[in-house]
Amino acid sequence: MQSSLRIVAVVSVLTAAGCASQSPRLASVPAPQPAPSASRIAVDSTYVGRVNQTALRRGLQVHWINPPMRRARQD
């Protein structure tokens, strides 16, 4: 009986120690930023236009929630 009580106590202490070892500082470290490149992200207006034209011919209207994006070169 006493040995099982000791085992429960040891397991409880180890579990508490494991939870306490989580460092809150790790969550506040900013993620590394990607290197700047010579391109930017823009709406794929060609694709959006084709879809909108097809929808209009069919009597539909498109509401873009997340418009398609493509990588565009900066000039």
Side-chain angles (χ1 to χ4, degrees), residues 19-68:
C19 293
S21 68
Q22 297 293 328
S23 174
R25 291 180 289 135
L26 295 177
S28 65
V29 174
Q33 298 295 321
S37 64
S39 63
R40 62 183 180 86
I41 304 297
V43 173
D44 189 352
S45 58
T46 305
Y47 179 73
V48 169
R50 281 187 298 175
V51 170
N52 286 339
Q53 287 297 322
T54 303
L56 284 175
R57 277 188 258 128
R58 295 179 182 178
L60 302 172
Q61 186 177 8
V62 177
H63 294 280
W64 292 96
I65 304 298
N66 293 317

Side-chain angles (χ1 to χ4, degrees), residues 1-14:
M1 177 72 175
Q2 204 171 30
S3 65
S4 63
L5 184 61
R6 285 184 187 170
I7 291 174
V8 169
V10 169
V11 169
S12 298
V13 169
L14 292 176

